[in-house]
């Protein structure tokens, strides 16, 4: 029987790790104090080592345990490599994570979780074209699984097992390329799969915001905060939206959901300064300083910067 390995980390990518005695697999050994204290001699011992490392929550120990398990037939090698890559990605060992994902795909080129994880890693590494190719392969395979011939956006067919992370990532890439309509179609596909996910509503809202469609952006952000009232990025984006929309009091109220009055005024001041609205910025920074119960160096520095930028602008 094959042991099922459950990773205890939650990230957007699938992942795995490196090997200890694995030069032939392209992954160097893990040198961590205590991680290699036990070298399993059987699949059962390897499973115990994995369980112990997960209970401890020690990433180095988990990587070592998954690596050791690669030597035993009881385990799914692809799953082990994915877990290793996920952990290496989490601690920003991107080269090791990429190698682990590629080892997983050498074992099983059709394992879509490994392909998706590698694509999400490549986005972090700014290798967007490679990532897009892999993501399109993932969603095309899923559409084929559900009986749809093409992976064209706009009418995607999905179910609960469909790869929402891939659709979301394709949306992000499309926004980077200033292909807003296509980005929003991808986000809607992701939302078909995860309709209650605040992050996806926020990404959709930001895509509308980038094209100055403020009513649609507001609607999406509002859905996000209704789904997850403490989701900071949605409130922050909503504050930015309201400020750009000329609704300063509502911008302040949105930011106050996630920060103090002084911090909210300082953030609005920074937005105004970046917009070249120096009079408004200096007023907001001064209000932030007055609202803070103690000395607020960031707002003081911003106030001085805004005054300097205003002075330089007046001399032109």
């Amino acid at each position: 029987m094959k042991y099922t390995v459950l990773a205890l980390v939650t990230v957007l990518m699938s992942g795995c790790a490196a090997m200890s005695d694995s030069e032939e697999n392209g992954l160097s050994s893990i040198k961590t104090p205590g991680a290699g204290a036990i070298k399993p001699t059987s699949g059962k011992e390897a499973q115990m080592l994995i369980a112990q490392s997960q209970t401890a929550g020690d990433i180095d120990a988990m990587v070592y345990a998954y690596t050791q398990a690669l030597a035993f037939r009881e385990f799914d090698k692809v799953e082990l490599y994915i877990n290793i890559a996920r952990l290496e990605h989490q601690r920003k060992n991107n080269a090791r994570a990429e190698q682990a994902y590629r080892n997983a795909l050498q074992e099983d080129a059709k394992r879509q979780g490994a392909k998706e994880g590698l694509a999400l890693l490549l986005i972090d590494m700014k290798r967007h074209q490679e990532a897009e190719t892999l993501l399109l392969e993932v969603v095309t395979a899923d559409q084929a699984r559900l009986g749809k011939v093409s992976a064209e956006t706009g009418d995607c067919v999905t179910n609960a097992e469909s790869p929402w992370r891939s659709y979301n990532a394709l949306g992000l890439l499309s926004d980077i390329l200033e292909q807003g309509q296509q980005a929003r179609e991808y986000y809607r596909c992701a939302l078909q799969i995860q309709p209650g996910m605040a992050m996806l509503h926020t990404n959709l809202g930001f895509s509308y915001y980038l094209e100055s469609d403020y009513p649609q952006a507001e609607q999406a952000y509002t859905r996000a905060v209704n789904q997850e009232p403490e989701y900071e990025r949605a409130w922050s984006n909503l504050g930015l939206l309201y400020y750009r929309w000329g609704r300063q009091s509502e911008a302040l109220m949105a930011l106050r959901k996630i920060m103090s009055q002084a911090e909210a005024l300082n953030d609005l001041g920074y937005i105004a300064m970046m917009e070249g609205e120096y009079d408004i910025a200096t007023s907001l920074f001064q209000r932030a300083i007055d609202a803070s119960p103690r000395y607020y160096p960031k707002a003081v520095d911003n106030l001085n910067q805004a005054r300097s930028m205003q002075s330089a602008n007046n001399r032109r």
Side-chain angles (χ1 to χ4, degrees):
M1 146 179 114
K2 288 186 179 290
Y3 294 110
T4 299
V5 181
L6 300 176
L8 299 183
V9 288
T10 304
V11 288
L12 284 184
M13 3 270 145
S14 329
C16 301
M19 303 175 59
S20 61
D21 303 317
S22 57
E23 294 301 324
E24 71 277 12
N25 291 307
L27 297 174
S28 59
S29 60
I30 308 301
K31 304 289 187 183
T32 305
I38 300 173
K39 188 172 180 65
T41 59
S42 67
K44 185 176 181 179
E45 288 181 5
Q47 180 63 29
M48 290 175 62
L49 187 63
I50 289 170
Q52 289 169 359
S53 68
Q54 290 178 336
T55 300
D58 185 326
I59 292 181
D60 289 327
M62 282 191 277
V63 169
Y64 177 82
Y66 292 137
T67 296
Q68 293 298 313
L70 286 164
F72 302 100
R73 294 180 180 178
E74 293 93 332
F75 294 90
D76 178 349
K77 273 193 170 186
V78 176
E79 187 178 358
L80 289 171
Y81 279 126
I82 289 174
N83 282 324
I84 292 169
R86 181 184 296 118
L87 292 167
E88 295 290 17
H89 190 177
Q90 182 181 349
R91 57 184 182 178
K92 303 190 185 305
N93 289 338
N94 289 345
R96 296 171 67 90
E98 180 179 359
Q99 185 60 60
Y101 279 130
R102 295 199 184 280
N103 287 350
L105 290 169
Q106 282 183 348
E107 295 286 336
D108 182 358
K110 294 183 179 180
R111 189 69 67 95
Q112 301 305 316
K115 195 175 290 186
E116 180 181 70
L118 177 57
L120 296 171
L121 171 67
L122 291 172
I123 290 175
D124 278 358
M125 297 169 74
K126 311 300 183 188
R127 290 158 61 181
H128 294 159
Q129 188 170 357
E130 294 173 74
E132 183 181 31
T133 298
L134 290 168
L135 291 167
L136 288 171
E137 289 177 10
V138 172
V139 299
T140 298
D142 191 64
Q143 295 289 287
R145 176 180 68 85
L146 295 169
K148 188 170 183 289
V149 176
S150 167
E152 292 293 323
T153 54
D155 60 343
C156 54
V157 177
T158 62
N159 66 10
E161 286 74 48
S162 292
W164 67 266
R165 291 177 182 84
S166 290
Y167 283 112
N168 177 59
L170 284 166
L172 294 172
L173 290 175
S174 295
D175 270 332
I176 289 170
L177 296 173
E178 299 182 353
Q179 298 170 347
Q181 182 176 347
Q182 180 172 288
R184 292 187 288 277
E185 288 171 351
Y186 281 130
Y187 293 136
R188 291 189 191 100
C189 290
L191 282 164
Q192 285 180 196
I193 308 159
Q194 293 285 347
M197 185 167 287
M199 179 193 71
L200 296 176
H201 288 291
T202 302
N203 288 348
L204 177 61
F206 192 69
S207 185
Y208 278 119
Y209 168 81
L210 289 173
E211 296 196 352
S212 300
D213 190 340
Y214 294 162
Q216 289 289 350
E218 179 187 29
Q219 190 175 80
Y221 289 146
T222 301
R223 289 197 191 102
V225 297
N226 286 339
Q227 292 290 343
E228 192 175 333
E230 296 183 0
Y231 189 48
E232 293 188 5
R233 190 162 69 88
W235 285 116
S236 180
N237 285 6
L238 192 56
L240 174 63
L241 167 69
Y242 283 144
Y243 184 87
R244 290 273 173 82
W245 206 349
R247 296 160 64 176
Q248 192 178 112
S249 61
E250 289 170 275
L252 183 60
M253 286 190 292
L255 293 179
R256 285 287 286 112
K257 296 288 185 179
I258 55 172
M259 61 184 70
S260 70
Q261 177 84 354
E263 290 170 324
L265 288 165
N266 179 70
D267 279 14
L268 287 180
Y270 191 82
I271 294 169
M273 184 169 65
M274 292 300 100
E275 293 286 308
E277 299 170 341
Y278 302 119
D279 287 338
I280 295 173
T282 54
S283 174
L284 288 165
F285 290 138
Q286 187 60 61
R287 287 173 63 191
I289 293 166
D290 295 341
S292 180
R294 60 182 64 86
Y295 180 65
Y296 194 177
K298 183 186 294 184
V300 173
D301 290 344
N302 284 339
L303 177 59
N304 291 333
Q305 183 181 357
R307 286 172 173 167
S308 296
M309 292 173 72
Q310 184 175 34
S311 177
N313 186 66
N314 290 339
R315 290 196 297 269
R316 291 176 185 172

